[in-house]
Amino acid sequence: MSEKDTISIHLVREALLQSCAPGVATEEVLGKVGIDPALLHRPEARVPASDYARLWRLLARRNDDEFFGMDPRRLRAGSFAYLCRTGMAQPTVRAGLEAVLEFLSLIFERLPAQLVTQQSLAEIVLAEPEDEARRPFTYFTYWMIVHGVACWLAGRRIPILAIELRCEAPDYCDDYRVMFSENLRFARPRTRMILAADCLDLPIKRSPQELQRFLGHAPANILVKYRDAQSFSSRIRHDLRQLPAQQWPETEGLALQLCMSASTLRRRLAEEGQTYQGLKDSVRKELAIAWLAEPAISFAEIATRLGFADVSSFYKAFRKWSGSNPGHYRSLILNESQ
């Protein structure tokens, strides 16, 4: 079992926090889904995504709530299937996503949402009441449902450029970064997910048979299928982030560092649907997005940090990555009052 098919025990504890009484009840629930209760006391432990999915379904049946008891109004059992049917009945991914958000906004008391598009960027904004922020797990479970269904409707991963949350950063973020984006920002004025909008106008072509297969494997499929990393690719991305872009090795140099041939490196990346150039572009995009959120860092400095010859080359690359120019993205991410 590869790590990409596992879930941290931290998220198991989060799932149980408001949906299951501690003690004997917790042990009984975990035993039924094949998770050893002793793992709760081992912070490094991980469980199969399939076990976590069984836990989600069991708690949903017991409590008649597919949202772990995290909103005063329950997301009653069967709601996930209904919102999938509602979304797939729409002509485009944009319309499907809007229908999903409308349904969830009607159900939840504290998580009303809106899809807003500006040029080639889109954002899902939670118009929360001006009181205490929700738990990080609440937000990420919401994003898991919304983004997972949107990706299924599109038939591909919809790239997440950034996620901002009103809450403080939790002690554990690793799985969240793998599932969603490296660019997570906490203690922000609003909770929102920023997306590349190029997928939103795709037609939805999902059949009832595909829906049944999707629901039959949910939520395990949305927990792992649309993650933005594979283990080998993730290792290379991590190594690239530790170096200035000017020091990134070429393919042959990287292969030598990994004690393999260049052809083996290319083959292993190809098995994960990746290329080395694609990974470098991905890391450059992550870094660019993070630095664009810091107004004191000029476009020229960002271009230099990323190893571009000049600002115009950076502009061209950023438009290719995100569909937006850096100035528009910066104005969106820094517009806290909108």
Side-chain angles (χ1 to χ4, degrees):
M1 179 177 60
S2 64
E3 185 163 303
K4 72 184 179 66
D5 295 324
T6 64
I7 300 294
S8 169
I9 198 68
H10 291 272
L11 303 194
V12 174
R13 287 203 298 264
E14 290 284 346
L16 294 168
L17 189 60
Q18 289 179 242
S19 58
C20 188
V24 175
T26 291
E27 293 181 4
E28 178 198 357
V29 165
L30 293 178
K32 284 182 177 294
V33 300
I35 298 175
D36 183 355
L39 296 179
L40 293 174
H41 307 292
R42 291 173 48 192
E44 78 288 353
R46 303 187 68 82
V47 302
S50 55
D51 289 353
Y52 187 84
R54 282 196 292 271
L55 175 65
W56 193 330
R57 291 196 297 268
L58 176 59
L59 293 172
R61 289 196 304 271
R62 287 196 168 195
N63 302 322
D64 193 21
D65 187 352
E66 296 179 331
F67 201 61
F68 300 115
M70 295 187 296
D71 189 87
R73 298 176 186 166
R74 290 175 293 174
L75 187 65
R76 293 183 179 275
S79 296
F80 182 78
Y82 181 82
L83 69 87
C84 290
R85 286 195 294 271
T86 299
M88 66 179 283
Q90 309 307 313
T92 65
V93 173
R94 181 192 306 272
L97 182 54
E98 288 174 339
V100 167
L101 295 175
E102 182 178 6
F103 173 76
L104 292 175
S105 295
L106 288 171
I107 295 297
F108 290 137
E109 179 180 311
R110 297 177 177 174
L111 295 167
Q114 184 180 13
L115 175 66
V116 180
T117 56
Q118 296 190 37
Q119 298 181 29
S120 54
L121 296 174
E123 57 178 340
I124 300 170
V125 183
L126 297 184
E128 300 174 84
E130 293 296 327
D131 57 4
E132 184 179 350
R134 311 277 80 78
R135 291 163 52 199
F137 183 72
T138 301
Y139 294 127
F140 284 117
T141 302
Y142 183 92
W143 295 135
M144 181 73 67
I145 293 171
V146 170
H147 185 249
V149 173
C151 290
W152 177 73
L153 293 175
R156 51 172 285 194
R157 180 178 172 83
I158 297 177
I160 299 173
L161 300 182
I163 289 180
E164 295 188 339
L165 302 124
R166 291 177 61 213
C167 61
E168 299 294 330
D171 293 336
Y172 182 84
C173 272
D174 292 356
D175 278 33
Y176 296 147
R177 295 188 190 282
V178 172
M179 291 173 182
F180 299 104
S181 169
E182 284 288 330
N183 191 27
L184 305 179
R185 303 177 74 209
F186 296 90
R188 309 305 297 170
R190 303 179 292 171
T191 295
R192 58 178 175 169
M193 174 188 284
I194 300 176
L195 308 166
D198 59 342
C199 300
L200 297 183
D201 293 324
L202 292 172
I204 295 175
K205 296 180 180 179
R206 288 297 190 181
S207 67
Q209 293 76 22
E210 289 175 312
L211 174 62
Q212 289 307 309
R213 286 195 296 272
F214 179 66
L215 295 176
H217 293 93
N221 46 7
I222 62 174
L223 285 167
V224 298
K225 181 173 182 179
Y226 297 111
R227 289 185 176 188
D228 200 20
Q230 303 283 344
S231 55
F232 186 60
S233 303
S234 179
R235 175 183 171 187
I236 294 175
R237 283 193 181 98
H238 176 269
D239 291 345
L240 291 175
R241 292 188 197 104
Q242 310 313 305
L243 294 171
Q246 294 86 346
Q247 297 180 22
W248 287 355
E250 297 300 322
T251 301
E252 290 72 15
L254 176 62
L256 185 63
Q257 292 176 17
L258 297 174
C259 301
M260 63 180 65
S261 67
S263 60
T264 299
L265 171 63
R266 294 188 186 96
R267 176 180 57 77
R268 290 195 58 181
L269 288 175
E271 288 172 354
E272 297 180 358
Q274 302 284 354
T275 66
Y276 183 42
Q277 184 61 51
L279 293 181
K280 290 191 290 185
D281 287 345
S282 174
V283 174
R284 281 193 174 100
K285 181 182 76 171
E286 290 173 6
L287 294 173
I289 286 171
W291 291 331
L292 285 169
E294 303 297 332
I297 306 177
S298 69
F299 295 142
E301 184 175 351
I302 293 174
T304 300
R305 289 185 183 186
L306 295 177
F308 289 103
D310 50 46
V311 174
S312 63
S313 298
F314 166 55
Y315 264 66
K316 182 178 180 180
F318 192 83
R319 281 195 297 270
K320 178 182 177 182
W321 297 332
S322 67
S324 171
N325 67 60
H328 175 63
Y329 180 82
R330 172 167 274 179
S331 67
L332 175 65
I333 201 71
L334 295 179
N335 184 7
E336 307 289 13
S337 61
Q338 104 178 357

